[in-house]
Amino acid sequence: MNNRKGRITIPTDESYVEGTKKIAELWGADAVRDCDGVKLPKNPKEIADKVYNVYFVDRGNHEWAKNNPDEWQHMFVMTPFITATESTVSVHLMDTFFDQQVKPDFSEEAVKHMEVMDRTTGQVWNEWEVDAENGNVIIKNAVPFHQYTVAFLMISLWHPVHMYNYITNNWDEPYHIMYDPYYPKTRKFIRENLQRWCDANPESNVVRFTTFLYMFTLVYNQFGKERNVDWFGYNMAVSPRMLDDFEKEYGYKMRAEYLVDQGYYNQTHRIPTKEYKDWMQFIQNFVTETVKELVEITHKNGKEAMMFLGDCWIGAEIFGVRYKELGLDALVGSVGGGVTVRMLSDVEGVRYKEGRFLPYFFPDTFFDGNEDNAVAEINNNWITARRAMMRNPLDRIGFGGYLELAAKFPKFINRVADICDEFRYIYDTVKTQTPKNFAKVAVLNAWGKVRSWMCNMTAHELWYQQSYSYQGIYEALSGLPVEVSFINFDDVKNGRLDEFDVVLNAGDAGTAWSGGEFWADEEIVTAVRKFVYNGGGFIGVGEPTALQRNGKFFQLSDVLGVDKECGISLGEDKHNLTAHAGHFIMDGIESNVDYGEDKKNIFALPEANVIDIVFSERFKRNYSVGEVKMATNEYGKGRSFYITGLPYSAQNAKLLYRAILWTAGKEDMDKKSYCTNPLTEAHFYGDRYAITNNTSEKQTTTFYDMNGVAQELILKPYEIKWLKD
Amino acid sequence: MNNRKGRITIPTDESYVEGTKKIAELWGADAVRDCDGVKLPKNPKEIADKVYNVYFVDRGNHEWAKNNPDEWQHMFVMTPFITATESTVSVHLMDTFFDQQVKPDFSEEAVKHMEVMDRTTGQVWNEWEVDAENGNVIIKNAVPFHQYTVAFLMISLWHPVHMYNYITNNWDEPYHIMYDPYYPKTRKFIRENLQRWCDANPESNVVRFTTFLYMFTLVYNQFGKERNVDWFGYNMAVSPRMLDDFEKEYGYKMRAEYLVDQGYYNQTHRIPTKEYKDWMQFIQNFVTETVKELVEITHKNGKEAMMFLGDCWIGAEIFGVRYKELGLDALVGSVGGGVTVRMLSDVEGVRYKEGRFLPYFFPDTFFDGNEDNAVAEINNNWITARRAMMRNPLDRIGFGGYLELAAKFPKFINRVADICDEFRYIYDTVKTQTPKNFAKVAVLNAWGKVRSWMCNMTAHELWYQQSYSYQGIYEALSGLPVEVSFINFDDVKNGRLDEFDVVLNAGDAGTAWSGGEFWADEEIVTAVRKFVYNGGGFIGVGEPTALQRNGKFFQLSDVLGVDKECGISLGEDKHNLTAHAGHFIMDGIESNVDYGEDKKNIFALPEANVIDIVFSERFKRNYSVGEVKMATNEYGKGRSFYITGLPYSAQNAKLLYRAILWTAGKEDMDKKSYCTNPLTEAHFYGDRYAITNNTSEKQTTTFYDMNGVAQELILKPYEIKWLKD
């Protein structure tokens, strides 16, 4: 029997102490947390060893905010493109912004960072002046029918998460204004304020920082609706003084354009520029030094410091080089599936990592008659997360909301109790045994390690039509028996490819994910070719290595065996139009493959092996092109696999695993710790196997052990069958 | 009753004289032509006034070819990309070519034009030598894992159309070798040869040149299959001596790279470079001077000179500036639909233009029991061509094949007789009355006039999946009551936009059709913006004005009201997601619009009016993007319309017409000479209307005359109803 206690966090409040105790006992909870709108009981340690309290570093103290308006936070923004129809153009800066969130900073130190661009020529436009009274910038001697933009500093008036919650929940309380610790007065204040808070909250032994200093990019428009969002964006981590200091330290001016980036705001999908990476590092340095002090204060007060992954996490890059310097005890984040588990569990430099599971115990789920749906929701959340847990588990799991609501659903309470036990058993197994990995996979993009498990993400956990066909790759990888690393093009240049069996490049042309201009670098293409030629594997999804240059669109079309017809090579006949059945990769893939958003106009080079090709239904004449969906290629001793898209599904996860084995030249690893039914998966831990049923239905599968010996297994819904080796 | 005689060409042969006379009488034929494998009757003028004979200028004389191997034609080609895995790379030049079509020219004057490129760096590679004995180029000191190409001159051994027919039809005769009139000996020979031919063929009074000097690009691979095709390509109009002369005349070397163009071979979809346009002009100059002489000889012999639009037509650009200098009497080409009619009928500088209709009288159609299909085929060909005839008719129509075969199908013979009469009536009407045009439309692309009606074409009349969604625009335009011009970006700079009501830009990003880098030219974007702002119309299809630059993908997104999400602006919220019904353009559009290959990820700017938007079926959360399919925008006094693709259909033709009227601000022209049923169309000729039924079924329509007075009409299958004004 495994440990029945620990690793679980539950919410509670002062009006539900006895109920909390019972559920804590049943679930083995050892931590309680507060929740919006409720207070912790007076003696929370009677219920649990750990007591979490939310703490805001630079918002929430209205008095400080009110008394120090010169130290409020800023953001750098850009107007829309404005077409000049006359030679004088008056631009009202607030036209597309929300006046409750921001106001332009017309101070001298802010205006000197303003920048007007002629977007038709791409040049800076120097003829303009500020009309602060009317909130305008007046562009002079404009060229008719050129477009202009103004980039400028705004003062933040309202923390956007507070704003969102306030508006959504009809709160009635003062707006949370963000004061900026980059100013020494506020920096001193936040230290003292934390000490005061520690003094005032002796019952809390875990300070749950929500979060540190700067919010990710979240800007609203004139109608109070979201205008720009980037969970990774640094545009709200900026101030006139930072800009001045940056220039002193880095020896060049951080131009407005480097931050507003033509209106793309350096969002994470953009290939990062040198200037933006410098800015990120500049902010990280400041955040590291400042948060370090806060963590020290926390520790001096005998408390643990826990970071919430979200909100004001900018500058505390969890996969960044300075992360461990923060000295944090814990990291907590919400869990939507395998990717979000690994985004937490793979972090180094904190002692423990906790995932907050769904559903929240809120009335939108926990209302009369909805118990079965609540159970289904926790099952679904747990099962998708569990795949990743089997490879690298979180140290703790937790819940949020009002426990009293959940307590009305006994089926739910009992199901969570089972999950807590299962989690602890998985944890003990994976942490004491070594999960067997069958290949080492490197995901190659412009970001590399710093965006581990964060590829193709815009707003955290939100679904985007343009992203899911790539995010499926990472969701699949999060639960596969392979070692996953995230590398960038510098890593390629630094000779790191040889550490891996397979390199994966996935994304749309011109994005950070496929890499864009990096594929013009001969050192990079040469290194990847050499790696594959000498026996490495290469997997491309969507528009890998894409860059229109030197007669190709996929710069490594020779490695991939495919390229894209972009309408400029129609006169080149495509003859490789026959799909070949029976490939190793397709063994056990019985349904049609789901390519998600897919890519059109992919064709195979003569030497490639086409696995799937689609012909237009409109085909009218004896002249056929066909669009390749999957192909493999042999390249020296190495191999490649191409697919147009890979949204997450059980079958696509199996397909990707088989593609990894095949491109790695590891066909001999097939049918080792392996299930034939894609809805089930096997994991080997040295002394035992786990065979998981990832569905709510009974499943039958053939299971192969490490010796390739097969047996038929029947698995109950959600079951993990543990078998001794 | 209209003219029952003339304007018709029929094939005949010496064994079918009496039958030919009867059919000629019935159809009103006034010309006979020969056909492969048959001879004209001895006294063809007994049958018809005009007698056409096929004539080859620089092939077919086997003796001359055999005796002058130093004057055979050449082509410039490029090897595939070859990856260096060692420092010495031996490239066998013939590896991907057909040894019966070509052989490398290893002569000194050819080798000096050879060029080896490092395709990884894009630089010329100078370390190589020729191993003529083995047919190789040896690249030395190659950088491992760079890719190299060799561009070199081939000697043509076989005319590719002859080769194709020979292989397809199992002919047994000597190969047609092309000798090059660029060499003075051959130039003299082709003149003398034509004179000899005229002497030997007194019965022929129309020399049907098939065609002149140089073949369009048609290269076969090592398996004898098509490797590269470009109906517009100049890569077979090249020789060492031309290259030398070009340098003398133009003052710079015509590098191999300028002709092989990274392997794209300057195909018509590519944005033409200055060097390629210079080469085209250089060849056109030579072809013009040479063909002029041949036409003079023809005329001196009392015969007419007719150009077949195809095969060796390179250098005789029918919409080129020097075309009329040729002094031709006639132009003939095959007709596949409205576009191919207008490609002929809009040509200036020849006295008459003839279209060859389908089906050919060949056994593949004219076999026992297939009469109804033969009738359906001519009906279909005629009806699609007729739309264009109603606007600008050909001067003649003709047929090919074996008349004796057709004669066995009396229904077919009678149907063609009706068509001939209908054609003559249309001709007389349109040529004596002025067809009313309701708007002036300019198609804007990188080619302009020289590629009138030839947009998005690769191999003549072949269907390409990547093209039909654009070709539908031109097919629609060919029969609409609008004046159509084709302009290029120089025309925009030269202030020509004001001649038009509406400018249309359609094509994939980076192609000659959308324009690519031209949209970086501030003069161009400024001119188009100004044109629309002042009241002009703009229609964009697919990826109009596309170029990733300065924060946009569609450089005129401000005019179009739409842009494309390329995966780098997902963090910018798209709020304009509601389609608005009831737009002028959609009046009478009752079925779902067919977007053909379509475009994904188009979004509307805030001010645009969305007409159609599609949401992903995978949409899982309360976060919606939507893909815009059609939108309109107001821009100053002007308007724009965007659609993702416009394959040809009756409804799409109506949609385009309505979009033209609306963007032109000509809503007052709606319901003037207009049919509500898209399968019927109205044309106004000053004194009469033609209302066409473009289908094989009976149609009912409301017809509006020029005063907007409506009447219900019932049209028989294929009928044209002529109404007096």
Side-chain angles (χ1 to χ4, degrees):
Chain A
M1 193 60 207
N2 61 318
N3 195 347
R4 290 295 314 271
K5 165 96 178 146
R7 310 205 166 282
I8 309 296
T9 304
I10 55 173
T12 187
D13 77 80
E14 55 188 356
S15 71
Y16 193 62
V17 175
E18 289 313 305
T20 304
K21 282 182 184 169
K22 275 185 210 153
I23 291 172
E25 172 72 22
L26 185 67
W27 292 2
D30 59 345
V32 290
R33 52 164 291 196
D34 58 358
C35 185
D36 273 337
V38 300
K39 283 185 182 163
L40 283 177
K42 272 179 194 147
N43 297 304
K45 284 188 187 145
E46 286 178 12
I47 307 171
D49 304 332
K50 283 174 186 282
V51 179
Y52 300 180
N53 261 128
V54 165
Y55 183 74
F56 300 137
V57 172
D58 53 15
R59 61 166 164 139
N61 190 309
H62 308 303
E63 199 190 324
W64 183 261
K66 213 164 269 180
N67 293 335
N68 295 279
D70 54 330
E71 300 204 348
W72 291 0
Q73 293 197 12
H74 285 77
M75 64 175 84
F76 228 125
V77 296
M78 193 184 96
T79 64
F81 291 34
I82 292 150
T83 305
T85 53
E86 294 175 350
S87 63
T88 301
V89 182
S90 181
V91 181
H92 189 240
L93 298 182
M94 281 299 294
D95 269 357
T96 61
F97 296 94
F98 187 41
D99 58 9
Q100 297 195 57
Q101 187 189 10
V102 286
K103 67 175 182 191
D105 187 343
F106 285 118
S107 71
E108 195 180 328
E109 64 166 14
V111 167
K112 78 176 181 199
H113 293 289
M114 241 185 216
E115 198 170 65
V116 176
M117 293 287 292
D118 180 335
R119 291 291 172 194
T120 302
T121 63
Q123 302 298 310
V124 175
W125 191 259
N126 288 316
E127 300 180 72
W128 53 273
E129 60 186 33
V130 167
D131 167 15
E133 198 178 332
N134 295 303
N136 292 344
V137 163
I138 317 290
I139 300 170
K140 305 200 156 178
N141 299 313
V143 184
F145 301 105
H146 281 211
Q147 290 193 304
Y148 297 86
T149 58
V150 183
F152 61 104
L153 282 155
M154 289 275 207
I155 299 167
S156 282
L157 306 178
W158 199 355
H159 185 282
V161 172
H162 187 257
M163 182 169 79
Y164 175 83
N165 287 330
Y166 182 105
I167 294 170
T168 308
N169 302 319
N170 279 309
W171 286 353
D172 179 19
E173 60 175 50
Y175 294 0
H176 280 202
I177 296 166
M178 296 170 284
Y179 22 95
D180 190 351
Y182 199 78
Y183 295 93
K185 248 193 314 173
T186 293
R187 184 159 176 186
K188 183 157 172 280
F189 167 77
I190 63 167
R191 285 196 302 262
E192 292 167 357
N193 198 46
L194 176 59
Q195 182 56 53
R196 273 192 297 275
W197 186 90
C198 287
D199 293 342
N201 290 276
E203 81 293 350
S204 162
N205 53 16
V206 179
V207 182
R208 188 180 182 276
F209 287 98
T210 305
T211 311
F212 301 129
L213 311 189
Y214 300 110
M215 179 67 198
F216 63 80
T217 301
L218 186 55
V219 184
Y220 280 64
N221 70 13
Q222 68 269 41
F223 309 111
K225 292 194 170 167
E226 192 179 277
R227 183 190 195 277
N228 300 91
V229 61
D230 177 13
W231 197 60
F232 306 92
Y234 278 63
N235 274 59
M236 294 178 66
V238 61
S239 72
R241 192 166 298 189
M242 284 180 196
L243 293 163
D244 295 343
D245 288 351
F246 179 92
E247 185 168 356
K248 282 176 211 144
E249 191 178 329
Y250 282 77
Y252 69 93
K253 184 172 159 63
M254 177 54 43
R255 284 180 49 202
E257 182 63 12
Y258 298 150
L259 290 172
V260 301
D261 177 31
Q262 304 174 34
Y264 297 120
Y265 294 101
N266 298 295
Q267 57 191 271
T268 182
H269 310 297
R270 293 276 284 170
I271 297 162
T273 60
K274 179 195 170 296
E275 293 81 9
Y276 184 59
K277 286 194 287 190
D278 283 350
W279 186 257
M280 287 174 68
Q281 195 56 57
F282 175 77
I283 298 299
Q284 281 177 68
N285 290 342
F286 174 69
V287 168
T288 304
E289 297 305 329
T290 308
V291 173
K292 242 194 310 204
E293 294 175 356
L294 301 178
V295 173
E296 277 162 20
I297 293 167
T298 309
H299 287 167
K300 268 189 203 144
N301 284 275
K303 299 178 196 297
E304 291 184 348
M306 173 180 270
M307 169 188 172
F308 170 63
L309 181 59
D311 291 14
C312 297
W313 75 291
I314 293 305
E317 293 287 349
I318 56 176
F319 292 103
V321 284
R322 299 200 63 179
Y323 187 63
K324 61 174 155 312
E325 291 180 46
L326 296 178
L328 292 163
D329 300 282
L331 174 67
V332 63
S334 63
V335 167
V339 159
T340 42
V341 166
R342 295 293 291 267
M343 193 195 292
L344 295 165
S345 67
D346 279 17
V347 170
E348 291 166 354
V350 284
R351 202 149 38 80
Y352 64 92
K353 281 93 69 166
E354 176 168 320
R356 192 189 61 202
F357 277 67
L358 297 174
Y360 259 123
F361 306 159
F362 273 173
D364 57 349
T365 304
F366 291 85
F367 58 88
D368 265 4
N370 203 43
E371 179 160 16
D372 287 348
N373 289 335
V375 172
E377 196 175 338
I378 183 65
N379 274 327
N380 189 46
N381 192 225
W382 170 243
I383 284 303
T384 52
R386 191 180 70 179
R387 282 188 72 244
M389 293 281 205
M390 304 304 289
R391 308 309 309 167
N392 189 17
L394 294 164
D395 300 285
R396 305 182 54 84
I397 64 178
F399 298 90
Y402 310 114
L403 191 61
E404 196 169 359
L405 282 179
K408 290 177 187 160
F409 287 174
K411 271 197 282 184
F412 181 84
I413 294 296
N414 289 328
R415 178 58 186 139
V416 173
D418 293 344
I419 286 171
C420 291
D421 287 341
E422 186 169 273
F423 161 63
R424 281 182 289 254
Y425 187 86
I426 294 167
Y427 183 84
D428 291 343
T429 301
V430 187
K431 290 291 182 178
T432 55
Q433 307 292 325
T434 307
K436 169 78 179 166
N437 283 319
F438 290 85
K440 292 180 179 181
V441 178
V443 174
L444 172 61
N445 59 46
W447 286 108
K449 185 170 180 184
V450 75
R451 290 284 169 267
S452 296
W453 302 107
M454 296 165 170
C455 310
N456 290 90
M457 209 175 268
T458 301
H460 187 229
E461 291 185 40
L462 279 190
W463 182 89
Y464 284 76
Q465 189 170 348
Q466 288 83 1
S467 303
Y468 74 90
S469 311
Y470 296 120
Q471 286 175 325
I473 299 161
Y474 311 106
E475 189 64 28
L477 285 174
S478 74
L480 288 179
V482 298
E483 190 181 310
V484 184
S485 303
F486 293 82
I487 64 171
N488 65 21
F489 293 98
D490 282 338
D491 295 323
V492 173
K493 289 182 161 199
N494 293 333
R496 286 197 52 202
L497 289 182
D498 289 338
E499 299 172 23
F500 309 105
D501 298 310
V502 176
V503 171
L504 187 149
N505 182 245
D508 284 349
T511 63
W513 316 118
S514 71
E517 282 291 330
F518 282 108
W519 294 109
D521 186 328
E522 72 89 28
E523 255 192 274
I524 291 166
V525 291
T526 303
V528 177
R529 282 195 182 116
K530 191 175 167 193
F531 164 74
V532 182
Y533 191 80
N534 290 332
F538 193 79
I539 296 179
V541 185
E543 297 178 332
T545 80
L547 179 69
Q548 184 62 51
R549 181 175 182 270
N550 282 342
K552 306 171 156 204
F553 187 63
F554 293 172
Q555 288 299 309
L556 291 183
S557 60
D558 53 324
V559 173
L560 288 159
V562 295
D563 204 342
K564 184 172 177 179
E565 171 58 67
C566 296
I568 53 173
S569 47
L570 292 168
E572 185 183 323
D573 288 79
K574 282 83 177 177
H575 293 291
N576 190 352
L577 299 169
T578 309
H580 298 280
H583 197 283
F584 174 89
I585 292 173
M586 299 302 285
D587 185 16
I589 305 300
E590 285 164 10
S591 312
N592 286 338
V593 172
D594 176 5
Y595 302 109
E597 290 301 293
D598 199 10
K599 289 291 165 202
K600 292 184 64 67
N601 302 321
I602 305 298
F603 66 93
L605 274 60
E607 63 276 11
N609 172 62
V610 175
I611 297 183
D612 189 17
I613 186 168
V614 171
F615 293 91
S616 168
E617 284 168 21
R618 304 202 183 222
F619 166 65
K620 290 176 205 160
R621 302 194 186 202
N622 187 22
Y623 193 90
S624 159
V625 277
E627 300 188 313
V628 170
K629 300 301 168 192
M630 279 191 286
T632 58
N633 199 35
E634 312 244 351
Y635 188 84
K637 288 187 227 156
R639 292 166 169 178
S640 79
F641 171 68
Y642 171 80
I643 187 166
T644 55
L646 196 106
Y648 182 72
S649 70
Q651 180 171 273
N652 276 355
K654 180 186 272 290
L655 179 77
L656 180 60
Y657 180 58
R658 299 194 65 82
I660 290 166
L661 287 185
W662 186 78
T663 53
K666 295 195 172 199
E667 297 101 311
D668 59 329
M669 289 295 108
D670 187 24
K671 311 275 167 67
K672 302 257 196 303
S673 179
Y674 185 83
C675 290
T676 52
N677 179 346
L679 301 169
T680 64
E681 289 181 304
H683 303 273
F684 180 58
Y685 299 102
D687 68 344
R688 75 196 90 162
Y689 298 94
I691 299 95
T692 64
N693 176 354
N694 299 338
T695 74
S696 59
E697 312 288 326
K698 188 181 81 170
Q699 296 293 339
T700 306
T701 185
T702 303
F703 160 70
Y704 293 87
D705 68 14
M706 286 297 292
N707 300 314
V709 178
Q711 57 180 297
E712 292 297 307
L713 296 180
I714 295 170
L715 292 138
K716 293 190 286 260
Y718 307 121
E719 185 185 3
I720 302 180
K721 213 180 260 299
W722 296 92
L723 299 180
K724 288 274 167 209
D725 185 31
Chain B
M1 191 62 205
N2 62 313
N3 194 348
R4 289 296 313 270
K5 166 96 177 145
R7 311 208 166 277
I8 309 294
T9 304
I10 56 172
T12 186
D13 75 80
E14 58 187 354
S15 70
Y16 193 64
V17 175
E18 290 313 307
T20 302
K21 283 182 182 165
K22 276 185 208 153
I23 291 172
E25 172 70 21
L26 185 68
W27 292 3
D30 59 346
V32 290
R33 53 163 293 195
D34 58 357
C35 185
D36 274 334
V38 298
K39 283 186 180 163
L40 282 176
K42 272 181 193 145
N43 298 305
K45 285 188 189 144
E46 289 179 10
I47 307 173
D49 304 333
K50 284 174 185 282
V51 180
Y52 300 180
N53 260 129
V54 165
Y55 183 75
F56 300 135
V57 172
D58 54 13
R59 61 166 165 138
N61 190 308
H62 307 302
E63 201 189 324
W64 183 261
K66 211 166 271 178
N67 293 334
N68 295 278
D70 54 331
E71 300 203 347
W72 292 359
Q73 293 196 12
H74 285 76
M75 63 175 85
F76 229 125
V77 295
M78 192 185 95
T79 63
F81 290 34
I82 292 150
T83 305
T85 52
E86 293 174 351
S87 64
T88 302
V89 182
S90 181
V91 182
H92 189 240
L93 299 182
M94 281 298 293
D95 269 356
T96 61
F97 296 96
F98 188 40
D99 58 9
Q100 297 194 59
Q101 186 189 10
V102 287
K103 67 175 181 189
D105 188 343
F106 284 119
S107 71
E108 197 181 326
E109 64 166 13
V111 167
K112 77 175 180 199
H113 294 287
M114 241 184 217
E115 197 168 68
V116 177
M117 293 286 290
D118 179 335
R119 292 290 173 193
T120 302
T121 62
Q123 302 299 309
V124 174
W125 190 257
N126 287 315
E127 300 179 70
W128 54 272
E129 61 185 34
V130 167
D131 167 15
E133 198 177 332
N134 295 303
N136 292 343
V137 164
I138 317 290
I139 299 169
K140 303 198 157 179
N141 299 315
V143 185
F145 300 106
H146 281 211
Q147 290 194 304
Y148 296 87
T149 59
V150 182
F152 60 104
L153 284 154
M154 288 278 206
I155 299 168
S156 281
L157 306 177
W158 199 354
H159 186 283
V161 172
H162 187 257
M163 182 169 78
Y164 175 83
N165 287 331
Y166 182 104
I167 293 170
T168 308
N169 303 320
N170 278 312
W171 286 352
D172 180 18
E173 60 175 52
Y175 293 1
H176 280 203
I177 295 166
M178 295 171 283
Y179 23 96
D180 188 353
Y182 200 80
Y183 294 93
K185 250 194 311 172
T186 293
R187 182 160 178 186
K188 182 157 174 281
F189 168 76
I190 63 167
R191 286 197 301 261
E192 294 166 357
N193 198 46
L194 176 59
Q195 183 55 56
R196 273 192 296 275
W197 186 89
C198 287
D199 295 341
N201 291 276
E203 83 292 350
S204 163
N205 53 15
V206 179
V207 184
R208 186 181 185 277
F209 287 99
T210 306
T211 311
F212 300 130
L213 310 190
Y214 301 109
M215 177 67 199
F216 64 80
T217 301
L218 186 54
V219 183
Y220 280 64
N221 70 13
Q222 68 269 40
F223 309 111
K225 294 196 168 164
E226 193 180 277
R227 183 190 195 277
N228 300 92
V229 61
D230 176 15
W231 197 61
F232 306 91
Y234 277 62
N235 273 62
M236 293 177 66
V238 61
S239 71
R241 193 167 298 191
M242 285 180 195
L243 293 164
D244 294 344
D245 288 353
F246 179 93
E247 185 168 357
K248 282 177 212 142
E249 193 178 328
Y250 283 77
Y252 70 92
K253 185 172 159 63
M254 178 55 43
R255 282 179 50 201
E257 182 62 12
Y258 298 150
L259 291 172
V260 300
D261 177 30
Q262 306 174 35
Y264 296 119
Y265 294 103
N266 299 296
Q267 57 192 272
T268 182
H269 310 296
R270 292 277 284 171
I271 297 162
T273 61
K274 179 195 170 296
E275 294 82 8
Y276 185 59
K277 285 194 287 190
D278 283 350
W279 186 257
M280 287 176 68
Q281 195 54 56
F282 176 78
I283 297 298
Q284 281 178 70
N285 290 343
F286 173 69
V287 168
T288 303
E289 297 304 329
T290 307
V291 171
K292 242 193 313 204
E293 295 174 356
L294 300 178
V295 173
E296 278 162 19
I297 293 166
T298 308
H299 287 168
K300 267 187 203 144
N301 284 274
K303 300 181 197 294
E304 292 184 346
M306 173 180 269
M307 170 188 171
F308 170 63
L309 180 59
D311 290 18
C312 297
W313 75 290
I314 294 304
E317 293 286 350
I318 56 177
F319 293 102
V321 285
R322 300 199 63 179
Y323 187 64
K324 61 174 156 312
E325 290 180 46
L326 296 177
L328 290 164
D329 300 280
L331 174 67
V332 63
S334 61
V335 167
V339 160
T340 43
V341 166
R342 294 295 289 269
M343 194 195 294
L344 295 165
S345 67
D346 279 18
V347 169
E348 292 166 353
V350 285
R351 201 148 41 77
Y352 63 92
K353 281 92 69 168
E354 175 168 320
R356 192 190 62 202
F357 276 68
L358 295 175
Y360 259 122
F361 307 157
F362 274 170
D364 57 350
T365 303
F366 291 85
F367 59 88
D368 266 4
N370 204 43
E371 180 159 15
D372 287 347
N373 288 334
V375 172
E377 196 174 339
I378 183 66
N379 274 327
N380 189 46
N381 191 225
W382 171 242
I383 284 302
T384 54
R386 193 180 68 179
R387 283 189 72 243
M389 293 281 205
M390 304 304 290
R391 308 309 310 168
N392 189 16
L394 294 164
D395 301 283
R396 305 183 53 84
I397 65 178
F399 298 89
Y402 310 114
L403 191 61
E404 196 168 1
L405 282 180
K408 291 178 186 161
F409 288 173
K411 273 197 281 186
F412 180 85
I413 295 295
N414 289 328
R415 177 59 186 139
V416 172
D418 292 343
I419 286 172
C420 292
D421 287 342
E422 185 169 276
F423 161 62
R424 282 182 290 255
Y425 186 86
I426 293 167
Y427 184 85
D428 291 343
T429 302
V430 186
K431 289 291 180 179
T432 55
Q433 307 292 327
T434 306
K436 168 78 179 167
N437 283 320
F438 290 85
K440 292 180 180 182
V441 178
V443 174
L444 171 61
N445 59 45
W447 286 108
K449 184 171 181 184
V450 76
R451 290 284 168 269
S452 297
W453 302 106
M454 297 165 170
C455 310
N456 291 89
M457 209 175 268
T458 302
H460 186 229
E461 292 186 41
L462 280 189
W463 182 89
Y464 284 78
Q465 188 170 346
Q466 288 82 3
S467 304
Y468 75 89
S469 311
Y470 296 120
Q471 286 175 326
I473 299 163
Y474 312 106
E475 189 63 29
L477 285 174
S478 74
L480 288 180
V482 298
E483 190 182 309
V484 184
S485 303
F486 292 82
I487 64 170
N488 64 23
F489 294 97
D490 282 339
D491 296 323
V492 173
K493 289 181 163 202
N494 294 333
R496 286 197 53 204
L497 288 182
D498 289 339
E499 298 172 25
F500 309 104
D501 298 310
V502 177
V503 171
L504 187 150
N505 181 245
D508 284 348
T511 65
W513 315 118
S514 71
E517 281 292 329
F518 282 109
W519 294 109
D521 186 328
E522 73 87 27
E523 257 193 274
I524 291 165
V525 292
T526 302
V528 178
R529 282 196 184 119
K530 191 176 167 191
F531 164 75
V532 182
Y533 190 81
N534 290 332
F538 193 79
I539 296 181
V541 187
E543 296 178 334
T545 81
L547 179 69
Q548 184 61 54
R549 183 175 179 269
N550 282 345
K552 304 170 157 208
F553 188 62
F554 293 172
Q555 287 299 309
L556 291 183
S557 59
D558 53 324
V559 173
L560 289 159
V562 295
D563 204 342
K564 184 172 177 180
E565 170 58 67
C566 295
I568 53 173
S569 47
L570 292 168
E572 186 182 324
D573 288 79
K574 283 83 178 177
H575 293 291
N576 190 350
L577 299 169
T578 308
H580 299 280
H583 197 281
F584 174 91
I585 292 174
M586 298 302 285
D587 184 16
I589 306 300
E590 284 163 9
S591 313
N592 285 337
V593 173
D594 177 6
Y595 302 107
E597 290 301 294
D598 197 11
K599 290 291 167 204
K600 292 182 66 63
N601 301 323
I602 305 297
F603 66 92
L605 273 59
E607 63 275 13
N609 172 61
V610 175
I611 298 183
D612 190 16
I613 185 167
V614 171
F615 293 90
S616 168
E617 286 169 20
R618 304 201 184 224
F619 166 65
K620 290 176 207 160
R621 301 194 187 203
N622 187 23
Y623 194 89
S624 158
V625 277
E627 299 188 311
V628 170
K629 300 302 168 191
M630 280 191 287
T632 58
N633 198 35
E634 312 244 351
Y635 189 83
K637 289 187 227 158
R639 292 166 170 179
S640 79
F641 171 67
Y642 172 81
I643 187 168
T644 55
L646 197 109
Y648 181 72
S649 69
Q651 180 171 276
N652 276 356
K654 180 185 272 289
L655 179 76
L656 180 60
Y657 180 58
R658 299 194 65 81
I660 289 166
L661 288 186
W662 187 80
T663 53
K666 296 195 170 197
E667 296 103 310
D668 58 329
M669 290 294 109
D670 187 25
K671 310 277 166 65
K672 302 257 195 301
S673 179
Y674 184 84
C675 291
T676 52
N677 179 346
L679 301 168
T680 65
E681 288 181 304
H683 304 271
F684 179 58
Y685 298 103
D687 68 344
R688 74 196 92 164
Y689 298 94
I691 300 94
T692 63
N693 176 354
N694 299 338
T695 73
S696 59
E697 312 289 328
K698 188 181 83 169
Q699 295 293 340
T700 306
T701 185
T702 303
F703 160 71
Y704 292 87
D705 68 16
M706 287 298 291
N707 301 313
V709 177
Q711 59 180 295
E712 291 296 307
L713 296 178
I714 295 170
L715 293 138
K716 294 190 285 260
Y718 307 120
E719 184 184 1
I720 303 180
K721 210 178 264 299
W722 297 92
L723 299 180
K724 288 273 170 212
D725 187 26

